[in-house]
Each structure stands twice: as structure tokens, then as C-alpha cells.
Amino acid sequence: MQKGRGRTSRIRRRKHLRSSESRGVNESYKSEFIELKKWLKNRKFEDRNLTPARFPGTGRGLMSRTPLREGQMIISLPESCLLTTETVIRSYLGVYITKWKPRPSPLLALCTFLVSERHAGDRSLWKPYLQILPKTYTCPVCLEPEVVNLLPKALKAKTEEQRAHVQKLFTSSRDFFSSLQPLFVEPIDSIFSYSALLWAWCTVNTRAVYLRPRKQECLSAEPDTCALAPYLDLLNHSPHVQVNAAFNEKTRCYEIRTASGCRKHEEVFICYGPHDNQRLLLEYGFVSPCNPHACVYVSRDTLVKYLPSTDKQMNKKISILKDHGFIENLTFGWDGPSWRLLTALKLLCLEAEKFTCWKKVLLGEVISDANEKTSLDVAQKICHHLLEESSAMLQRVSHMKDEEVSLVSQLALVETLWREELKVLQASAETLASVHTTYLASPERLGSPPVVGVT
């Protein structure tokens, strides 16, 4: 046998390929990371477990220097490294914040500090941290309007709400920004522009860690729980890992322990929470492939699209669902329609003579074989409708990528979201088809239908 052609060699090559695909390229030699490490060391932090690297698929992150054990501390960042509202109030901005009325919010204080320090450039004490922050963000609030129009309806609505919130923050803060003019030579409007505030807002929104609520007398009563954590915020998200992360009041450090091991030279992940892809894109600006929490939302209009228009009790049924919190967060997941979606459909499909049983439906009781079958039939129709919609949107995005070259990166992000939603719907459709076949093949099981959704 020729050397390197056997089964063992093939296995070794596959392992090497998988390893090379997941292994990052060390970037600790880059000047910005050298400066950051020196800056952190001056603040009593030196990391021996991790090193900055660039990875295929996730981009910049942190790589393990040595194998990490389950339960091992991977980062313990001293309080002196954290950027909090206390940091801002102790700075040159403190006197302006303290005397301003109405009192600025904790969020505004952090954003103002970020904009001011970035403008300071080389003069900023926080330069080593600021220079590794993203120059731009990919959250929907930062996307072009024509790209936002391609998002799923629910996500588009939340994006518009978010954009209105940032715009309101900017408009309502302009007088406060003007009060800072004595600190700058340039016109204040050229420094605290909408784009500058949006960058700062995204920095806090996507990268802040949670601290216990603090109370600063010179700030508004809004929760003061955010802190920026230099270096630690290089850790990327994975829905498949678990970590314990919190500020340790005894050590005065923000600590992260991994609940699972990690091999040497692999990317070290943390989990931002059990978020679906729409939430991840809205809040953090990325989509997680094969996300176990991925789901597709069903709007109210789609919910009733395949129900009889002659149902005189439909408005009352919708009102009941709304009053009991069953009109929102209705989804399809990897294992089919969620329990909430099926429950809503069962109530909407109640026959006129069974309408008085609506409370039993909300409690999960089976009302009739016919009701069970009809609700599953409607779920199938809705699922196929959403499948067609997702396929059509993917075609539309693909066409737009050819037409709008300058928007290719933004469109690729939206395309990834629709592609992941299509996969979820295909899995749901297969589950529903299997359940439907079971119903037809086993009529005696109609009284105890198979469980389709779990969320």
C-alpha cells in the first residue's frame, strides 16, 4: 500500500483538517494588542491562559494557550480595568455631569465618555482599549434602510424601535453635549454627532457586562448595571458552552469560569444567553449557525391567515389570546411548532359548540380529536407559507447582492439569518409531516396526540 493512502492516514488528515479549521491565527504580536497587554498589566491584570487570535467563522477572539479544565478560572479582570459610571464621574466629565439637570442616565454617561475619549485619540488614557474596539457595528440599527427592509417583520419592527430610541437619546442630549464645549476646541456638534453617539451606544449595548445595580446621586434612576471589560470582551459567543460569569465582591474582580474544558490552541467561548438568532442579530450584530435556540416567529396576521374568515368568534378568540399572553412569541423551532403556538391554534380552531372550553385549552387539555387535527393542519399550512416566504426572501437578497455591491457585507448578514430560519422551518415541516402521518395511521391515538413543541 502506498504511504499515506490507508484508513489511518485518512483519519489523521480529517482530524488535522478539522483542527486547522477551528484553530486561530495568533495576533498577540500586533502592536494594538501589545499596547493593550501593557495597559492591562499596569492595572494589575496579566493573562496566562488566553491570547488574542483570529478564527475562521467568528473573526477576532481569544485562544487558549494551554488546555483548560472544567471549572477553571479563565479570566479574572480587576475592577481597575473596568469602565463604569464611577470611572466617568471621576474623570473630567464628572463636574459637568454632577451639575446637569435633568440628571443624565448611566447609559448617556458611558456613551459621552466613549465619544470624548475616542476624540482625544493619543491623549486618551483609554487609548489601548479604544483602538481595539470595532470602528463600525453590524447591529440592524446600523444597517442601511433598504437592508433593514429585508429583515423578518418582527425583527424589522424591533430595529425601528431601537433606532427611534437612539435617535431620542441623541436629540434629548444635545443641550447636555453643548454644555461640554469648554472641554473642546472643535465645535461640539462635530464631536458629538449622531454617528458618534450611535457608535458609543452600540459599544455599550454589544460589549457591556452586568454588574450589580449601583446608585450614583448625580445620575438618573435608570438601572446602573453596565460595565465595559477590556480584553474580556474579546470572548465570542457560542450557544453550546456554559460559563459562570460575575463580579466577585471579595476579590473585586470580574471572573469567568468555564463549565466545560477546552483544548490547547482552540477558541475559548462564553455564552451571552439562550438567545435565538433574531435576538443575537438585534443586540449583538451576528447570527449563530446551527443555534439550538433558533426559531421563526409567527405574526398575528400569519396566525389567522389559514383560519375560516366566517368564524364569528374569531375576534373574541384573538382577544382571549391577547389577554392571556398567547399572541406574542409564537414560534417554530427545530422540533416543530412550540407549545405556545399549538395552544394558540387549538383555541383559534375551537368549534362554536366547544368555545366555552377555551380555559381548558390554555391549560393544555385535549378538547376533541377534530380540534387537535385541525390545529395541526393549520400549523402545517403556516409552516409551508413561511418556508415559501423565506425562500423568496433569500432570492430577493441574492439578487440585491448583485445590484448593490456596496451593501454586500450587510446583505450577507441578512442572508445568513434567512438561511438559518429556512433550516428551522424545514425541520419543523418534517416534524409536522411525521406527526400528521402518525395521526392518519393510528386513529386510536387521536385522544393523546404526540408532543410536537416544547417551548
Side-chain angles (χ1 to χ4, degrees):
M1 182 179 290
Q2 194 171 350
K3 187 177 180 180
R5 294 294 181 90
R7 179 173 179 271
T8 301
S9 295
R10 289 197 299 272
I11 292 173
R12 285 174 180 166
R13 283 197 298 271
R14 282 198 293 268
K15 285 184 177 179
H16 176 74
L17 179 61
R18 286 196 297 268
S19 176
S20 63
E21 286 175 347
S22 61
R23 183 170 296 184
V25 177
N26 193 321
E27 291 195 339
S28 61
Y29 66 91
K30 291 191 172 182
S31 59
E32 61 264 33
F33 289 119
I34 292 173
E35 284 188 41
L36 179 65
K37 287 292 187 72
K38 288 180 180 177
W39 183 82
L40 289 168
K41 188 175 182 179
N42 289 335
R43 292 170 179 251
K44 311 303 181 186
F45 174 73
E46 191 167 7
D47 182 33
R48 302 185 185 279
N49 294 323
L50 312 174
T51 192
R54 184 163 294 276
F55 299 87
T58 56
R60 193 178 61 184
L62 291 177
M63 178 172 66
S64 59
R65 288 182 175 182
T66 60
L68 300 177
R69 307 180 309 276
E70 180 180 339
Q72 182 176 343
M73 181 89 70
I74 56 174
I75 281 188
S76 180
L77 193 68
E79 187 176 21
S80 57
C81 298
L82 300 178
L83 199 170
T84 67
T85 53
E86 292 178 5
T87 309
V88 180
I89 293 168
R90 289 196 305 265
S91 75
Y92 54 90
L93 292 173
V95 63
Y96 293 89
I97 291 174
T98 301
K99 68 182 181 182
W100 187 258
K101 296 294 183 291
R103 292 178 295 177
S105 68
L107 173 62
L108 179 60
L110 290 172
C111 289
T112 302
F113 185 80
L114 284 170
V115 173
S116 179
E117 289 295 300
R118 186 170 74 155
H119 174 74
D122 292 341
R123 293 177 286 111
S124 172
L125 296 176
W126 289 80
K127 179 195 170 186
Y129 174 53
L130 294 172
Q131 68 180 356
I132 68 161
L133 289 174
K135 302 299 184 288
T136 59
Y137 288 91
T138 53
C139 305
V141 71
C142 300
L143 303 182
E144 294 299 322
E146 54 265 47
V147 178
V148 173
N149 284 334
L150 299 173
L151 295 172
K153 291 180 182 178
L155 181 56
K156 179 184 174 184
K158 290 178 181 177
T159 298
E160 290 170 348
E161 289 176 10
Q162 207 173 66
R163 181 166 288 165
H165 170 72
V166 179
Q167 183 65 57
K168 182 179 179 181
L169 177 65
F170 174 69
T171 303
S172 63
S173 304
R174 297 188 74 170
D175 288 343
F176 169 66
F177 295 150
S178 295
S179 74
L180 305 177
Q181 182 65 73
L183 294 171
F184 304 96
V185 175
E186 302 86 350
I188 204 70
D189 288 346
S190 67
I191 300 170
F192 290 90
S193 62
Y194 175 76
S195 61
L197 180 68
L198 178 61
W199 170 83
W201 184 89
C202 286
T203 298
V204 176
N205 197 60
T206 62
R207 309 179 78 81
V209 297
Y210 176 85
L211 297 183
R212 283 186 179 181
R214 304 175 302 286
K215 179 61 181 174
Q216 306 286 352
E217 292 301 325
C218 59
L219 298 178
S220 69
E222 295 176 30
D224 186 359
T225 58
C226 290
L228 290 170
Y231 192 71
L232 182 150
D233 60 8
L234 290 170
L235 289 165
N236 287 319
H237 164 82
S238 170
H240 306 289
V241 302
Q242 289 183 329
V243 296
N244 296 313
F247 184 77
N248 189 322
E249 297 290 345
K250 292 182 180 179
T251 63
R252 307 304 296 175
C253 293
Y254 194 92
E255 300 175 348
I256 295 182
R257 292 181 183 273
T258 177
S260 55
C262 182
R263 290 183 294 185
K264 183 178 180 179
H265 294 153
E266 282 193 341
E267 181 168 12
V268 179
F269 291 98
I270 58 174
C271 182
Y272 299 170
H275 303 316
D276 61 70
N277 279 328
Q278 290 197 23
R279 175 75 182 277
L280 288 174
L281 182 55
L282 179 71
E283 302 294 350
Y284 302 104
F286 67 87
V287 174
S288 179
C290 303
N291 182 358
H293 310 295
C295 61
V296 178
Y297 290 86
V298 179
S299 68
R300 174 175 167 174
D301 290 343
T302 304
L303 186 67
V304 300
K305 185 179 180 69
Y306 296 99
L307 296 170
S309 58
T310 55
D311 188 344
K312 296 179 180 180
Q313 296 170 321
M314 186 57 65
N315 289 337
K316 179 63 176 175
K317 291 175 180 178
I318 292 291
S319 179
I320 290 172
L321 291 176
K322 189 174 182 180
D323 291 344
H324 290 80
F326 274 85
I327 205 70
E328 302 290 341
N329 296 323
L330 308 179
T331 60
F332 287 97
W334 293 107
D335 57 349
S338 67
W339 178 83
R340 288 173 56 82
L341 175 56
L342 282 178
T343 300
L345 288 174
K346 288 175 184 179
L347 193 148
L348 292 171
C349 291
L350 276 175
E351 304 95 323
E353 63 273 14
K354 300 283 187 178
F355 181 65
T356 55
C357 299
W358 64 265
K359 288 184 180 179
K360 292 183 178 180
V361 174
L362 295 183
L363 291 173
E365 294 186 28
V366 175
I367 303 305
S368 69
D369 294 346
N371 179 257
E372 294 290 318
K373 185 178 184 305
T374 303
S375 59
L376 283 173
D377 286 343
V378 175
Q380 271 192 309
K381 291 176 181 177
I382 292 175
C383 187
H384 284 114
H385 164 76
L386 294 174
L387 271 169
E388 292 175 357
E389 182 181 66
S390 298
S391 297
M393 288 304 299
L394 278 169
Q395 290 181 352
R396 185 176 168 188
V397 173
S398 178
H399 176 73
M400 195 167 173
K401 284 172 70 178
D402 295 333
E403 298 291 327
E404 303 288 346
V405 179
S406 62
L407 299 177
V408 166
S409 60
Q410 293 187 15
L411 292 167
L413 187 61
V414 176
E415 185 177 46
T416 302
L417 176 65
W418 279 111
R419 202 174 298 283
E420 290 300 310
E421 297 214 344
L422 185 66
K423 292 176 185 177
V424 170
L425 290 167
Q426 288 169 339
S428 276
E430 290 176 6
T431 299
L432 283 165
S434 176
V435 172
H436 192 264
T437 301
T438 302
Y439 260 68
L440 294 177
S442 307
E444 69 275 9
R445 294 180 62 185
L446 285 174
S448 303
V451 176
V452 185
V454 295
T455 55

